[in-house]
């Protein structure tokens, strides 16, 4: 069975929530993608033949190949669960998914499907405020508090625990490290103009890229929150928050705080705590495999020192994104599901949300590409594993 733990959403999907420079628009995107799912569609018929189910949705659906849909209301009940879409018919009125163990038949019931949420809960709320937590009991249990009361940006803080929307302990960053939290960028203007976005998640980590600046359609802000893959088994504080040190809504894309930028500086990321578990939030930075960053040699994914294509095999190569604790120089773990390119990739080589299956060192993995960061002359690309699982 195809893995369904990885969810890939973007603003181009029919029924996707609108991100804009208005209060609450980011919370609406996070609610839809992380918690509730979206784009409920009535299924006119659901037919199983040779262990493949074909759903017909007369009014059309929002899924694309690789989307994960949640089917409900069907008999037999084995058809009701998360399913990865294998194919999509013309006009988006049909889709197929695997139905192992289900005999050939036409399902009955009042059947519907929607794009499935990523497996998070919204633990606390307020007016344009939200606190999100992974539902996975194996996770660290850290929360993300989002203050979306402003127009062009939101403020975000991670917490070890929370008891109310404005009450928590173990903040990261602390108020001393970054007063008010990190910035997440939504739009250049405080109005209802829609902005593009892509959110990729499993049930313990998510990444968000926002095309906040319409002058630079190939650039954007790259942020993330959740549990990384720790090198130490049982790392109770293995949660990371990525965001910006200031309001970047009026600036062109391209910032050292972009999640897909390699740079050794103390203001890049924040862990819930240091690896020893003592004290408060720990600052962190990012590095690509086999390449050592410094404060003066930082570069974005797709704008690295290696040539593209690689000479011997004409290949595209991707690197895991390693996370290091600042000052201690300690390798804490790997950002799950996201890959970065240490090569110099031509601007425009990949369209937004493009699918590639021929990465030289990630054979048999489907990867989706999203530009971020740099503006009109320099490429910056994030690469997401959508085959899954990430863990």
């Amino acid at each position: 069975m195809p893995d369904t733990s990885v969810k890939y959403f973007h603003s181009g999907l029919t029924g996707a929530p609108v991100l804009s420079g208005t209060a609450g628009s980011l919370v609406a995107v996070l609610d839809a993608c992380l918690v509730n799912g979206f784009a409920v569609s009535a299924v006119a018929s659901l037919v199983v033949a040779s262990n493949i189910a074909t759903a017909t949705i007369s009014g059309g659906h929002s899924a694309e190949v690789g989307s994960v849909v949640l089917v409900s209301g069907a008999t037999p009940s084995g058809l009701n669960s998360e399913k990865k879409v294998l194919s999509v018919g013309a006009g988006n009125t049909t889709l197929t998914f695997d139905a192992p163990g289900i005999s050939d038949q036409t399902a009955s019931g009042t059947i519907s499907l929607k794009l499935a949420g990523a497996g998070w809960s919204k633990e606390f709320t307020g007016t344009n405020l939200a606190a999100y937590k992974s539902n996975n009991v194996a996770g660290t249990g850290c929360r993300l508090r989002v203050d979306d009361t402003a127009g062009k940006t939101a403020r975000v803080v991670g917490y070890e625990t929370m008891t109310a929307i404005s009450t928590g302990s173990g903040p990261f960053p602390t108020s001393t490290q970054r007063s008010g939290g990190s910035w997440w960028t939504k739009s250049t203007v405080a109005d209802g103009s829609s902005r593009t976005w892509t959110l990729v998640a499993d049930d313990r980590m998510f990444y968000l890229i926002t095309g906040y600046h319409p002058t630079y359609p190939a650039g954007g802000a790259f942020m993330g929150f959740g549990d990384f893959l720790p090198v130490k088994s049982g790392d109770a504080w293995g949660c990371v928050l990525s965001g910006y040190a200031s309001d970047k809504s009026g600036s062109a894309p391209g910032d050292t705080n972009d999640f897909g930028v390699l740079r050794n500086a103390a203001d890049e990321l924040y862990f819930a705590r240091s690896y020893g578990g003592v004290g408060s939030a720990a600052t962190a930075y990012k590095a690509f495999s086999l390449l050592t960053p410094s404060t003066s040699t930082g570069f974005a994914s797709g704008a690295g020192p290696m040539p593209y294509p690689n000479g011997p095999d004409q290949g595209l190569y991707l690197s895991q994104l390693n996370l290091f604790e600042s000052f201690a120089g300690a390798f804490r773990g790997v950002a799950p599901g996201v890959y970065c390119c240490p090569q110099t990739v031509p601007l425009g080589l990949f369209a937004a949300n493009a699918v590639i299956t021929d990465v030289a060192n990630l054979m048999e993995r489907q990867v989706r590409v999203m530009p971020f960061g740099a503006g009109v002359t320099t490429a910056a690309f994030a690469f997401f594993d959508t085959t899954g699982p990430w863990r």
Side-chain angles (χ1 to χ4, degrees):
M1 283 287 289
D3 174 75
T4 60
S5 66
V6 176
K7 314 296 197 299
Y8 194 99
F9 309 98
H10 59 85
S11 54
L13 298 171
T14 302
V18 175
L19 179 70
S20 68
T22 59
S25 67
L26 176 60
V27 166
V29 171
L30 297 178
D31 283 356
C33 298
L34 297 180
V35 182
N36 301 321
F38 62 90
V40 178
S41 302
V43 177
S45 68
L46 184 57
V47 179
V48 179
S50 302
N51 298 126
I52 299 294
T54 300
T56 299
I57 304 93
S58 301
H61 60 82
S62 299
E64 53 191 5
V65 174
S67 291
V68 178
V69 295
L70 178 63
V71 180
S72 61
T75 300
S77 61
L79 293 170
N80 297 322
S81 60
E82 291 187 351
K83 308 292 184 181
K84 184 167 256 183
V85 175
L86 302 177
S87 66
V88 171
N92 269 42
T93 56
T94 64
L95 59 80
T96 64
F97 57 83
D98 281 326
I102 306 295
S103 60
D104 291 0
Q105 60 185 288
T106 298
S108 61
T110 303
I111 308 170
S112 64
L113 58 79
K114 66 178 180 178
L115 296 177
W120 296 61
S121 60
K122 188 177 181 181
E123 191 173 36
F124 301 106
T125 65
T127 303
N128 299 319
L129 302 170
Y132 300 95
K133 176 180 178 290
S134 167
N135 290 332
N136 192 321
V137 296
T140 61
C142 292
R143 282 75 166 170
L144 175 69
R145 183 183 189 272
V146 179
D147 181 341
D148 196 15
T149 56
K152 298 185 291 183
T153 62
R155 302 299 297 274
V156 292
V157 180
Y159 284 92
E160 294 175 13
T161 61
M162 295 183 73
T163 56
I165 189 59
S166 296
T167 307
S169 62
F172 55 104
T174 65
S175 58
T176 300
Q177 291 167 330
R178 191 170 282 179
S179 180
S182 293
W183 276 261
W184 281 11
T185 313
K186 296 158 53 181
S187 177
T188 55
V189 292
D191 66 15
S193 302
S194 63
R195 296 291 183 254
T196 61
W197 56 266
T198 294
L199 191 149
V200 192
D202 72 357
D203 62 2
R204 293 175 62 182
M205 181 81 199
F206 73 90
Y207 306 100
L208 174 66
I209 296 177
T210 61
Y212 69 93
H213 203 309
T215 304
Y216 302 94
F222 186 6
M223 303 147 286
F225 173 81
D227 295 350
F228 56 85
L229 299 172
V231 295
K232 175 185 176 182
S233 178
D235 187 339
W237 317 112
C239 187
V240 64
L241 172 62
S242 167
Y244 296 90
S246 61
D247 179 355
K248 298 294 183 181
S249 62
S251 303
D255 190 272
T256 57
N257 286 156
D258 287 330
F259 196 71
V261 171
L262 174 151
R263 181 171 173 263
N264 181 355
D267 65 344
E268 298 300 289
L269 306 169
Y270 292 92
F271 294 143
R273 291 193 195 183
S274 178
Y275 66 88
V278 178
S280 58
T283 57
Y285 65 90
K286 307 153 298 221
F288 308 162
S289 296
L290 306 179
L291 297 172
T292 302
S294 72
T295 55
S296 60
T297 61
F299 58 85
S301 170
M306 295 173 58
Y308 172 84
N310 184 52
D313 60 359
Q314 300 298 290
L316 171 72
Y317 280 83
L318 302 183
S319 163
Q320 65 187 22
L321 186 57
N322 300 318
L323 305 179
F324 287 79
E325 190 168 318
S326 302
F327 306 116
F331 176 36
R332 283 289 295 271
V334 175
V338 64
Y339 292 87
C340 294
C341 181
Q343 296 168 284
T344 300
V345 178
L347 183 68
L349 180 64
F350 301 112
N353 301 303
V355 177
I356 56 175
T357 57
D358 56 352
V359 178
N361 58 333
L362 288 176
M363 301 305 293
E364 300 183 1
R365 311 296 287 185
Q366 177 176 282
V367 174
R368 296 194 69 167
V369 190
M370 188 64 197
F372 74 93
V376 295
T377 59
T378 305
F381 296 101
F383 300 82
F384 298 102
D385 170 18
T386 55
T387 300
W390 290 354
R391 304 171 193 276

